């Protein structure tokens, strides 16, 4: 073969290899598209001095300020923000919940949204997260995040919480895990997590059950997954709802006479969660008010003020006889959310008891 043919062959081989390299080269992984929906809270708060960690004003900074305050976000996701509300979360309402949930479902239905972060006050963060866990219709990650110190304080926790929540919302590991709560490097299931300490950064815990995982550096590590129904397995649909049935919580204590139950019945509640003593116990003096409420169609769920453990059916009360629903191990504020959504489908205590076993 003459020299000219050799050179021609070498050029052809080079072209073929370069073409292969271009065609089969791993496309650089694109950054995930994460939407940040802000509702207020301490993570958007402002204090008078760098040591003010109580007595500051919550819900001051707009979502774009939160994003601009963490320039590192741009390295781990394509983020954009929306201000859904600007409230201290003790003022959270069913109306904000419905607006937020509809917006979350609308965004997650878009192919150009990979995950959502919701910034929120810590007081009712667990409630919003659990509500969304029961009504979001996607397996894409939804991460609710807050902070215990305002951004103006030394060692503020919000920036790193937001950064890691955004990593989590864009991660494959978080897909299908239900709505998550991420603060203080710890990843929690929205069903299990609760605020346990009034003023410390390690306040969010899942007593008895524990977290789902942790952040080690910038990497989320999961060690378990939720078993109860959530998100894509939910039977609850809020897409056409503009209001939720009224459900309130009654706290039981020594010498309680049921007067609060009477007042709530008068106010027209559709359900009452009874935060009973011990294993969800109801005082004898409460029964007249309870039976009067049930005559008006009010559904009663037995929960427990102790906050941990399972309220056993037919344990400290005859649930079969009185048509009570045993609230499993949901704390009273979570039981209220499940009962509210259950009442959008049925007021049959047996069917609602099924829901408390499944969700
Ligand atoms: N007012 C409380 C709230 O918005 C402050 C607590 C916080 O956000 O950490 O939930």
């Amino acid at each position: 073969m003459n020299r000219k043919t050799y050179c021609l062959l070498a050029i052809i081989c080079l072209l073929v290899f370069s073409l292969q390299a271009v065609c089969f080269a791993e496309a650089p992984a694109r950054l995930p598209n994460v939407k940040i929906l802000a509702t207020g809270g301490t993570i958007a708060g402002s204090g008078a001095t760098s040591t003010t960690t109580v007595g500051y004003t919550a819900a001051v900074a707009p979502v774009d300020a939160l994003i601009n305050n963490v320039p590192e976000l741009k390295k781990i996701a394509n983020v954009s923000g929306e201000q859904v509300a600007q409230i201290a979360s003790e003022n959270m309402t069913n109306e904000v919940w419905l607006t937020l949930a509809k917006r979350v479902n609308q965004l997650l239905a878009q192919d150009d949204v990979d995950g959502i972060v919701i910034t929120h006050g810590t007081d009712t963060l667990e409630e919003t997260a659990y509500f969304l866990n029961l009504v979001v219709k996607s397996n894409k990650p939804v991460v609710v995040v807050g902070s215990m110190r305002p951004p103006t304080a030394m060692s503020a926790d919000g920036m790193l919480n937001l950064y890691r929540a955004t990593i989590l919302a864009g991660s494959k590991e978080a897909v299908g895990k239900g709505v998550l709560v991420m603060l203080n490097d710890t990843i929690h299931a929205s069903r299990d997590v609760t605020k346990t300490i009034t003023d410390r950064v390690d306040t969010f815990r899942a007593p008895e059950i524990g977290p789902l995982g942790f952040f080690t550096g910038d990497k989320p590590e999961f060690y378990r997954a939720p078993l109860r129904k959530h998100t894509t397995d939910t039977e609850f649909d809020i897409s056409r709802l503009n209001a939720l049935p009224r459900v309130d919580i009654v706290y039981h204590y020594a010498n309680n006479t049921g007067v609060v139950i009477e007042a709530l019945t008068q106010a027209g509640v559709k359900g009452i969660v009874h935060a009973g003593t011990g294993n969800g116990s109801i005082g004898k003096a409460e029964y007249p008010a309870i039976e009067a409420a049930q005559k008006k169609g009010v559904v009663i769920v037995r929960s427990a003020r102790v906050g941990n453990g399972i309220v056993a059916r037919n344990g400290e009360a005859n649930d079969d006889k009185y048509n009570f629903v045993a609230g499993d191990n949901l704390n009273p504020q979570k039981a209220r959310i499940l009962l509210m959504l259950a009442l959008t489908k049925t007021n049959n205590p047996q069917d609602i008891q099924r829901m408390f076993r499944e969700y």
Side-chain angles (χ1 to χ4, degrees):
M1 201 184 311
N2 63 27
R3 193 180 160 78
K4 208 170 159 196
T5 317
Y6 261 122
C7 290
L8 198 60
L9 262 179
I11 289 165
I12 290 168
C13 292
L14 201 63
L15 278 174
V16 167
F17 281 124
S18 337
L19 203 61
Q20 271 182 334
V22 168
C23 296
F24 299 112
E26 281 275 301
R30 67 167 176 79
L31 287 176
N33 299 326
V34 174
K35 270 282 183 190
I36 298 178
L37 304 182
T39 71
T42 295
I43 196 167
S46 177
T49 74
S50 63
T51 55
T52 306
T53 56
V54 286
Y56 52 81
T57 307
V60 175
V63 63
D64 287 343
L66 299 185
I67 293 172
N68 297 336
N69 203 23
V70 187
E72 294 81 358
L73 287 174
K74 293 187 186 59
K75 295 181 193 150
I76 47 108
N78 301 315
V79 295
S80 58
E82 291 181 12
Q83 195 82 38
V84 174
Q86 185 67 296
I87 56 173
S89 76
E90 63 271 26
N91 301 320
M92 185 50 71
T93 64
N94 290 350
E95 290 67 34
V96 173
W97 276 354
L98 288 170
T99 303
L100 179 62
K102 289 171 184 172
R103 187 59 183 144
V104 166
N105 279 328
Q106 199 179 25
L107 287 167
L108 292 181
Q110 293 172 204
D111 291 340
D112 62 348
V113 175
D114 298 308
I116 289 180
V117 169
I118 294 164
T119 59
H120 197 289
T122 59
D123 287 11
T124 59
L125 190 147
E126 69 199 71
E127 297 178 48
T128 300
Y130 186 50
F131 174 72
L132 292 172
N133 196 52
L134 296 173
V135 300
V136 164
K137 300 284 189 183
S138 168
N139 66 356
K140 292 179 183 176
V142 176
V143 182
V144 189
V145 65
S147 74
M148 289 301 287
R149 297 172 182 151
T152 47
M154 267 192 276
S155 303
D157 52 329
M159 285 77 90
L160 189 57
N161 284 349
L162 178 57
Y163 175 73
R164 288 185 167 162
T166 305
I167 292 175
L168 193 58
S171 74
K172 290 186 176 34
E173 294 87 346
V175 170
K177 297 275 196 321
V179 173
L180 302 171
V181 170
M182 208 307 293
L183 280 92
N184 201 39
D185 301 343
T186 309
I187 304 166
H188 282 288
S190 50
R191 183 186 186 282
D192 308 330
V193 70
T194 186
K195 185 172 182 179
T196 62
I197 306 169
T198 54
D199 60 357
R200 295 212 306 269
V201 293
D202 57 336
T203 183
F204 280 98
R205 300 183 183 183
E208 296 192 302
I209 295 180
L212 293 180
F214 306 92
F215 262 86
T216 165
D218 284 354
K219 183 147 179 18
E221 287 292 351
F222 281 90
Y223 293 92
R224 61 186 189 87
L227 291 178
R228 291 294 180 96
K229 278 185 173 180
H230 59 73
T231 57
T232 49
D233 292 336
T234 184
E235 65 196 273
F236 305 117
D237 179 2
I238 48 90
S239 58
R240 292 189 178 77
L241 294 181
N242 296 313
L244 291 166
R246 179 169 180 162
V247 174
D248 284 283
I249 301 170
V250 172
Y251 203 85
H252 186 41
Y253 42 84
N255 205 43
N256 174 28
T257 60
V259 69
V260 174
I261 293 170
E262 287 161 9
L264 289 174
T265 306
Q266 200 62 33
V269 291
K270 301 297 178 211
I272 291 175
V273 172
H274 183 272
T277 51
N279 193 341
S281 304
I282 295 175
K284 273 203 192 74
E286 295 183 278
Y287 275 87
I290 284 178
E291 289 174 284
Q294 289 180 309
K295 282 202 180 80
K296 291 206 170 172
V298 176
V299 174
I300 307 287
V301 171
R302 284 196 308 119
S303 181
R305 73 181 199 180
V306 301
N308 297 306
I310 298 169
V311 171
R313 186 166 176 82
N314 293 323
E316 286 299 316
N318 188 335
D319 295 319
D320 291 347
K321 178 182 174 195
Y322 287 99
N323 263 325
F324 295 150
V325 175
D328 198 279
N329 69 342
L330 286 175
N331 64 30
Q333 55 269 31
K334 301 260 179 87
R336 170 180 171 268
I337 292 164
L338 181 51
L339 178 54
M340 227 170 16
L341 288 169
L343 289 169
T344 66
K345 307 278 292 180
T346 173
N347 62 1
N348 175 310
Q350 284 72 35
D351 200 9
I352 296 174
Q353 184 67 76
R354 169 193 59 82
M355 296 172 181
F356 272 77
R357 269 196 297 277
E358 291 181 357
Y359 290 88

